[in-house]
PDB file of all heavy atoms in Angstrom:
ATOM      1  N   ASP A  44     119.250 108.663  84.950  1.00 81.00           N
ATOM      2  CA  ASP A  44     120.219 108.108  85.881  1.00 81.00           C
ATOM      3  C   ASP A  44     121.140 109.186  86.423  1.00 81.00           C
ATOM      4  O   ASP A  44     122.125 109.498  85.779  1.00 81.00           O
ATOM      5  CB  ASP A  44     121.016 106.969  85.157  1.00 81.00           C
ATOM      6  CG  ASP A  44     122.017 106.275  86.036  1.00 81.00           C
ATOM      7  OD1 ASP A  44     122.112 106.706  87.236  1.00 81.00           O
ATOM      8  OD2 ASP A  44     122.659 105.332  85.616  1.00 81.00           O
ATOM      9  N   VAL A  73     105.477 106.580  73.683  1.00 95.00           N
ATOM     10  CA  VAL A  73     104.067 106.200  73.800  1.00 95.00           C
ATOM     11  C   VAL A  73     103.247 106.843  72.645  1.00 95.00           C
ATOM     12  O   VAL A  73     103.357 108.038  72.442  1.00 95.00           O
ATOM     13  CB  VAL A  73     103.431 106.666  75.118  1.00 95.00           C
ATOM     14  CG1 VAL A  73     101.956 106.268  75.226  1.00 95.00           C
ATOM     15  CG2 VAL A  73     104.230 106.100  76.254  1.00 95.00           C
ATOM     16  N   ALA A 173     110.344  82.892  92.665  1.00 86.00           N
ATOM     17  CA  ALA A 173     109.415  82.677  91.583  1.00 86.00           C
ATOM     18  C   ALA A 173     108.019  82.964  92.143  1.00 86.00           C
ATOM     19  O   ALA A 173     107.648  82.686  93.297  1.00 86.00           O
ATOM     20  CB  ALA A 173     109.523  81.256  91.102  1.00 86.00           C
ATOM     21  N   GLY A 174     107.200  83.580  91.247  1.00 88.00           N
ATOM     22  CA  GLY A 174     105.822  83.827  91.570  1.00 88.00           C
ATOM     23  C   GLY A 174     105.450  85.346  91.378  1.00 88.00           C
ATOM     24  O   GLY A 174     106.154  86.045  90.741  1.00 88.00           O
ATOM     25  N   ARG A 188     115.113  98.113  87.547  1.00 83.00           N
ATOM     26  CA  ARG A 188     116.472  98.559  87.236  1.00 83.00           C
ATOM     27  C   ARG A 188     117.396  97.393  86.924  1.00 83.00           C
ATOM     28  O   ARG A 188     118.466  97.603  86.335  1.00 83.00           O
ATOM     29  CB  ARG A 188     117.043  99.322  88.348  1.00 83.00           C
ATOM     30  CG  ARG A 188     116.520 100.727  88.624  1.00 83.00           C
ATOM     31  CD  ARG A 188     117.296 101.507  89.708  1.00 83.00           C
ATOM     32  NE  ARG A 188     118.694 101.617  89.328  1.00 83.00           N
ATOM     33  CZ  ARG A 188     119.775 101.119  90.043  1.00 83.00           C
ATOM     34  NH1 ARG A 188     119.474 100.355  91.136  1.00 83.00           N
ATOM     35  NH2 ARG A 188     120.962 101.279  89.645  1.00 83.00           N
ATOM     36  N   PRO A 319     109.599  78.279  66.179  1.00 92.00           N
ATOM     37  CA  PRO A 319     110.241  79.202  67.077  1.00 92.00           C
ATOM     38  C   PRO A 319     110.550  78.483  68.349  1.00 92.00           C
ATOM     39  O   PRO A 319     109.896  77.552  68.867  1.00 92.00           O
ATOM     40  CB  PRO A 319     109.103  80.234  67.319  1.00 92.00           C
ATOM     41  CG  PRO A 319     107.857  79.572  67.086  1.00 92.00           C
ATOM     42  CD  PRO A 319     108.149  78.500  66.048  1.00 92.00           C
ATOM     43  N   PHE A 345     123.042  73.855  67.299  1.00 98.00           N
ATOM     44  CA  PHE A 345     123.236  73.308  68.657  1.00 98.00           C
ATOM     45  C   PHE A 345     124.744  73.016  68.810  1.00 98.00           C
ATOM     46  O   PHE A 345     125.465  72.650  67.836  1.00 98.00           O
ATOM     47  CB  PHE A 345     122.397  72.002  68.843  1.00 98.00           C
ATOM     48  CG  PHE A 345     120.984  72.220  68.978  1.00 98.00           C
ATOM     49  CD1 PHE A 345     120.086  72.253  67.839  1.00 98.00           C
ATOM     50  CD2 PHE A 345     120.402  72.394  70.168  1.00 98.00           C
ATOM     51  CE1 PHE A 345     118.778  72.482  67.958  1.00 98.00           C
ATOM     52  CE2 PHE A 345     119.012  72.597  70.304  1.00 98.00           C
ATOM     53  CZ  PHE A 345     118.196  72.701  69.181  1.00 98.00           C
ATOM     54  N   LEU A 381     113.761  67.841  67.511  1.00 98.00           N
ATOM     55  CA  LEU A 381     113.650  66.384  67.346  1.00 98.00           C
ATOM     56  C   LEU A 381     112.159  66.063  67.548  1.00 98.00           C
ATOM     57  O   LEU A 381     111.793  65.551  68.666  1.00 98.00           O
ATOM     58  CB  LEU A 381     114.565  65.655  68.314  1.00 98.00           C
ATOM     59  CG  LEU A 381     116.053  65.908  68.171  1.00 98.00           C
ATOM     60  CD1 LEU A 381     116.874  65.247  69.351  1.00 98.00           C
ATOM     61  CD2 LEU A 381     116.517  65.252  66.886  1.00 98.00           C
ATOM     62  N   GLY A 389     117.022  64.253  84.299  1.00 91.00           N
ATOM     63  CA  GLY A 389     118.067  63.392  84.966  1.00 91.00           C
ATOM     64  C   GLY A 389     118.598  64.056  86.180  1.00 91.00           C
ATOM     65  O   GLY A 389     119.299  64.988  86.195  1.00 91.00           O
ATOM     66  N   GLU A 391     120.698  63.227  88.299  1.00 81.00           N
ATOM     67  CA  GLU A 391     122.175  63.217  88.440  1.00 81.00           C
ATOM     68  C   GLU A 391     122.910  63.711  87.210  1.00 81.00           C
ATOM     69  O   GLU A 391     124.126  63.608  87.115  1.00 81.00           O
ATOM     70  CB  GLU A 391     122.638  61.721  88.768  1.00 81.00           C
ATOM     71  CG  GLU A 391     121.980  61.205  89.996  1.00 81.00           C
ATOM     72  CD  GLU A 391     122.215  61.939  91.244  1.00 81.00           C
ATOM     73  OE1 GLU A 391     123.312  62.513  91.348  1.00 81.00           O
ATOM     74  OE2 GLU A 391     121.359  62.096  92.097  1.00 81.00           O
TER      75      GLU A 391
END
Side-chain angles (χ1 to χ4, degrees):
D44 181 355
V73 182
R188 287 186 61 239
F345 289 87
L381 298 170
E391 305 300 324

